[in-house]
Amino acid sequence: QIVLAGDSAGGNLVLSTLLRIAEHGLVPPAGAILLSPWVDLTDNGRLPSWELYRKIDYLPPGLAKVLALAYLGEGGSVDVGAEDAATSPMFSGEVR
């Protein structure tokens, strides 16, 4: 009877939680609502969409990296090689 919902980094948290639930074989929630989920914390200016939408995007790549590091906390990494499904659900193989 529980529905998880999250926007942006909250969407990341919802997806990470769903992956952990599945990993541990727990009963999933009744549903999940994701609003613009931030599924790849390593994508801070490396994809073409940053340049394509730079005039209308409210979040510049440099600030995205600062916010990603703040979200991850001490010891977190947003390096392109740090493709960790626990913090960037895009790399789980389950997110499509």
Side-chain angles (χ1 to χ4, degrees), residues 14-92:
V14 168
L15 282 174
S16 294
T17 300
L18 292 173
L19 289 169
R20 293 291 177 152
I21 287 170
E23 178 183 313
H24 293 286
L26 301 173
V27 177
I33 301 167
L34 307 173
L35 304 170
S36 299
W38 194 1
V39 296
D40 181 3
L41 297 179
T42 67
D43 174 26
N44 296 296
R46 69 181 171 126
L47 294 179
S49 61
W50 284 103
E51 182 59 29
L52 182 65
Y53 298 110
R54 71 180 169 80
K55 291 183 181 180
I56 60 171
D57 198 342
Y58 67 93
L59 188 65
L63 180 57
K65 186 168 187 172
V66 169
L67 295 175
L69 287 168
Y71 176 82
L72 293 171
E74 190 173 327
S77 175
V78 293
D79 294 332
V80 174
E83 297 177 348
D84 179 10
T87 54
S88 291
M90 180 64 101
F91 301 115
S92 70

